[in-house]
Each structure stands twice: as structure tokens, then as C-alpha cells.
Amino acid sequence: MSVSPANRLNLLGMPRQRLAGQFESWGERGFRATQLVKWIHQRGVTDFAAMTDLSKTLREQLGLLAAVELPEIALERRSDDGTVKWVLRLADGNAIETVYIPEDDRGTLCISSQVGCALDCTFCSTAQQGFNRNLSAHEIIGQLWLANQRVPVPEGRSRAVTNVVFMGMGEPLANLDAVVDAIDLMLDDNAYGLSKRRVTVSTSGLVPALDRLGAATDVALAVSLHAPNDALRNRLVPINRKYPIHELLNACRRYTRDGARHHRVTFEYVLLAGINDQPRHARELMALLRDVPCKINLIPFNPFPGSPFVRPSSNAVRVFEKLLDDAGFVTIVRRTRGDDIDAACGQLVGEVADRSGRGARMIRLHADLPQPMGVRA
Ligand code: SAH
């Protein structure tokens, strides 16, 4: 039996258990799946013919029915600070972005989960690109596969990428099934073997999907909060109108309390000058999060062309941070990395064949926002 090349099953994104079932349906032993997963994800081999511990017959059969296909690297840019950004071309012509951020003791890969984003957050450049579609599991895990091939392993470490954050383009919880399959491979010792604390899903707050994520896995959770009250969050993160802050915080409590989870939620808070960066906002935030085990990650706004916001002064950032710190919150100001190559938070745009008509909507939303002082409306 054979299928046309275009219809070959892409095995890259298939979790090991499912692959075992697939093998059994082909009349093969399930444990072959473990061998295949190791070849693909640990050794980086995509050509079945080279997988020498599989029988010749199986290799030939795989070649006829299946393939291991990766996105194509359309562009690779290296920042002065060591950050690497890739623009990856997908089979349908769309492009997404992936960013590698090296630090002394770790290498973090920031990956995309969708082509564009459907969520309209007013300060994010991905939102301006509009939305085309969800990524499949192979397009998500393919980002990790490629980064591991492209980044040399630093001395004293066994791998380049030690941490993965779903903080690239898209809303991971709007693409839950593919994200969960990709996470399965990230955590699988036969594939990437990352610990669940080193894989972080970041969400703007899709409450029902957050509960489903908690039922499926227990990786680390980051929540894009960005405002201490519903009136302001409705404007910055419009999905808040559907799932307001108290519902979101309850879902966070459920996520961290379930099972054997010990980690805290990380709340991301992008600081926008004159909008949400005042001491009164910090105080409101402290009251809001008083009884939620959490860390707070402050992200000074990264500008992009056409955005109506400005980054607060470093003094304003310090004042905000100190208020939270003094109140006992673990607070980190996220250092801007890779902004010389447009790789910083909120700067990832890819090439999205928009199907949402976003451009026009963004302009209306901006007109609706409180304008910071000294910034054009
Ligand atoms: N949709 C998910 C995943 C994207 S994560 C989420 O919202 O969490 C990207 C992070 O960068 C989010 O916290 C997002 O709010 C933040 N961000 C977006 N635009 C930004 C900008 N221009 N400057 C700084 N941070 C930004």
C-alpha cells in the first residue's frame, strides 16, 4: 500500500502512545514507536532509511505511508545579545516566528501556537496581524526540533533548549489539543525529556480551556493579566469581557491546587505608560492577588510600528516593582531581549494571511482606549 506524498502522515507531532497505536494498526509492534521517537526527536533524523534498528521492511513501509516533515527556515537572525529569531515558512505559505533566548544557566525557546492570533489584545503586534489558523502539533514541536538543530549545545549542558514557553504568536489555549500533544513530546524522556516546570503555557485567560489544560497536563502556567480591574482589562485584553478577572483567578487557583502541583502561577503584566503603570494600579494589583500563590512578571512595553502606547520610564518601572516587592510579592522585571531583531515580547508577527479583518477592528479599539499623556491618539 502507498499514498501520494501530499497525503503521507506526518509523524513529527505524534505523541509516542498514539504512534504506538498507529504502528499496531499497520500490523507492527507498538514498542517500535519508542525507537522512532528517539530517532526523530533525540537524534534529529527524519529519513526513515537511516533508522537502522528498524527492520528494512518497516522502513520501506514507513517511507510509503508516512513522513517526518518540518517547517522551512525562511530567515534566521541573531541579536547582539545572543537571542536568535527564526521566521518559519509553513507548507501553506504562512509564516510564524520562534525565538531562542540564551542565559547563563538555561536556554529558553519561545514558541508560537497559532498563525497570528484571534484575541485583539491592544498592545500586541501579533494581534495586528490578524488570525489565519491553529498550528498542528508537528508545526509546534517542529520549532523545538529546529532550534535544537540550529543552536550549539553550550559547554556543561546536555542540550541547548532547556525551557520552553508558549509565549510566541497565538493563544495556546485556543489550540489546546495540538498544544497538549506537543507538550506530551516535550516531557517524554524518549523525546525531549523536559521537566514540567520548564514548560510554561501562557494564556490571556480562556477559563474553560484552562480547566481542560489542568485535566490533561500540569506544566507551569503564566497568565497575561495586565490590569488590576475589569474596566481596564476589558480594554487591554478584550477576552476579559467574556471571562472576567475573578473567574480567571478562580481558574488559576483550581489549576495550582489540583493534584501534586506545587508551582505558583506567573502573572504577566505589561507596563504601559500612563495606562496601567501608576502606584495606584500596583496597590490595586496587590489587593487583587493577596491570596493567590503567584509570581509577578513585569514587562515594560515593547513598541512596534503603529502602536499607540509608550514604555514607562525606568524609574516608573522601579517604583511599581518596589511597591509589589515591599508587599512580599516575588516580582521580576523581564529584561528586553532581542529587540534589535524584533524578537522581543509582543513584536512577533510572522506572515499571516489574515482571515479575521483585524486591521479595521484594531483602529476602532485604539480609538476607544484612554490615551497616555504625550502620545498621539
Ligand atoms: N496569547 C498568550 C501567549 C502570548 S505570550 C498570552 O497572551 O499569554 C506573549 C506575552 O507578551 C504576553 O504576556 C503578552 O501580553 C506580552 N506582550 C504582548 N505584546 C507586548 C508588547 N508590545 N510589549 C511587551 N509585552 C507584550
Side-chain angles (χ1 to χ4, degrees):
M1 198 172 68
S2 168
V3 295
S4 71
N7 288 328
R8 284 185 192 154
L9 192 59
N10 192 349
L11 302 184
L12 178 67
M14 224 185 250
R16 188 162 47 93
Q17 292 299 334
R18 188 132 12 103
L19 200 55
Q22 185 67 53
F23 271 37
E24 279 159 15
S25 79
W26 287 334
E28 278 291 336
R29 308 283 293 277
F31 69 84
R32 299 274 174 223
T34 303
Q35 289 168 283
L36 191 76
V37 161
K38 285 186 176 168
W39 277 111
I40 298 174
H41 298 286
Q42 292 191 341
R43 300 187 198 133
V45 172
T46 58
D47 179 7
F48 299 124
M51 303 180 179
T52 44
D53 59 358
L54 302 178
S55 75
K56 194 146 183 285
T57 326
L58 175 56
R59 282 184 267 159
E60 280 168 7
Q61 195 187 7
L62 283 172
L64 295 174
L65 298 173
V68 180
E69 273 162 11
L70 286 137
E72 205 177 289
I73 297 178
L75 182 73
E76 177 176 274
R77 292 185 74 189
R78 280 169 199 270
S79 158
D80 296 339
D81 68 14
T83 300
V84 187
K85 178 175 92 166
W86 296 276
V87 176
L88 302 178
R89 178 80 53 203
L90 308 175
D92 66 356
N94 281 300
I96 52 162
E97 299 191 359
T98 306
V99 179
Y100 174 75
I101 306 143
E103 285 170 278
D104 290 344
D105 58 342
R106 66 173 85 172
T108 302
L109 193 69
C110 178
I111 63 175
S112 296
S113 57
Q114 298 183 306
V115 179
C117 189
L119 285 181
D120 271 348
C121 298
T122 40
F123 50 84
C124 179
S125 64
T126 303
Q128 283 197 334
Q129 304 304 300
F131 175 71
N132 185 276
R133 66 172 174 86
N134 281 335
L135 294 183
S136 21
H138 63 82
E139 291 166 328
I140 299 174
I141 204 72
Q143 299 169 62
L144 178 54
W145 190 97
L146 283 168
N148 273 324
Q149 298 296 310
R150 299 294 305 161
V151 180
V153 179
E155 241 183 70
R157 278 223 308 264
S158 59
R159 54 171 79 113
V161 178
T162 60
N163 295 57
V164 174
V165 294
F166 281 85
M167 296 183 186
M169 298 167 67
E171 167 50 51
L173 293 192
N175 184 16
L176 191 68
D177 292 345
V179 164
V180 166
D181 281 356
I183 289 173
D184 185 309
L185 284 163
M186 289 169 196
L187 305 187
D188 187 338
D189 283 336
N190 295 288
Y192 298 92
L194 298 177
S195 101
K196 61 190 185 186
R197 284 158 193 263
R198 289 174 175 269
V199 175
T200 302
V201 170
S202 178
T203 180
S204 56
L206 305 189
V207 167
L210 183 48
D211 284 326
R212 284 168 49 221
L213 179 77
T217 183
D218 61 353
V219 293
L221 176 68
V223 169
S224 291
L225 191 59
H226 307 318
N229 61 62
D230 284 323
L232 188 52
R233 193 165 192 269
N234 283 345
R235 298 178 137 184
L236 298 175
V237 185
I239 194 70
N240 193 70
R241 295 172 199 160
K242 198 158 176 195
Y243 306 114
I245 291 176
H246 77 271
E247 283 183 30
L248 177 56
L249 294 185
N250 281 337
C252 292
R253 291 187 184 95
R254 288 194 292 276
Y255 190 88
T256 44
R257 220 177 272 152
D258 272 3
R261 287 187 243 273
H262 302 299
H263 42 240
R264 311 164 179 207
V265 180
T266 299
F267 289 105
E268 296 159 284
Y269 192 103
V270 58
L271 287 166
L272 308 165
I275 303 275
N276 67 353
D277 69 334
Q278 302 298 300
R280 69 185 155 87
H281 297 118
R283 282 190 277 271
E284 211 179 341
L285 189 62
M286 281 146 45
L288 184 70
L289 299 181
R290 212 179 32 225
D291 62 346
V292 189
C294 67
K295 290 185 276 199
I296 298 175
N297 208 326
L298 300 174
I299 318 172
F301 174 65
N302 291 313
F304 54 89
S307 71
F309 299 110
V310 279
R311 181 187 294 196
S313 68
S314 42
N315 191 49
V317 173
R318 262 197 304 275
V319 169
F320 201 96
E321 181 192 11
K322 186 164 187 321
L323 282 167
L324 295 171
D325 237 14
D326 289 350
F329 288 91
V330 178
T331 310
I332 294 158
V333 177
R334 197 181 286 174
R335 209 153 50 93
T336 299
R337 299 290 302 266
D339 56 344
D340 55 332
I341 55 168
D342 292 336
C345 303
Q347 291 185 325
L348 303 187
V349 296
E351 277 171 43
V352 180
D354 180 30
R355 304 199 301 181
S356 70
R358 174 65 39 77
R361 276 217 305 287
M362 285 298 288
I363 291 162
R364 282 206 300 281
L365 267 161
H366 283 166
D368 192 36
L369 275 166
Q371 292 300 316
M373 281 182 310
V375 174
R376 273 181 301 116

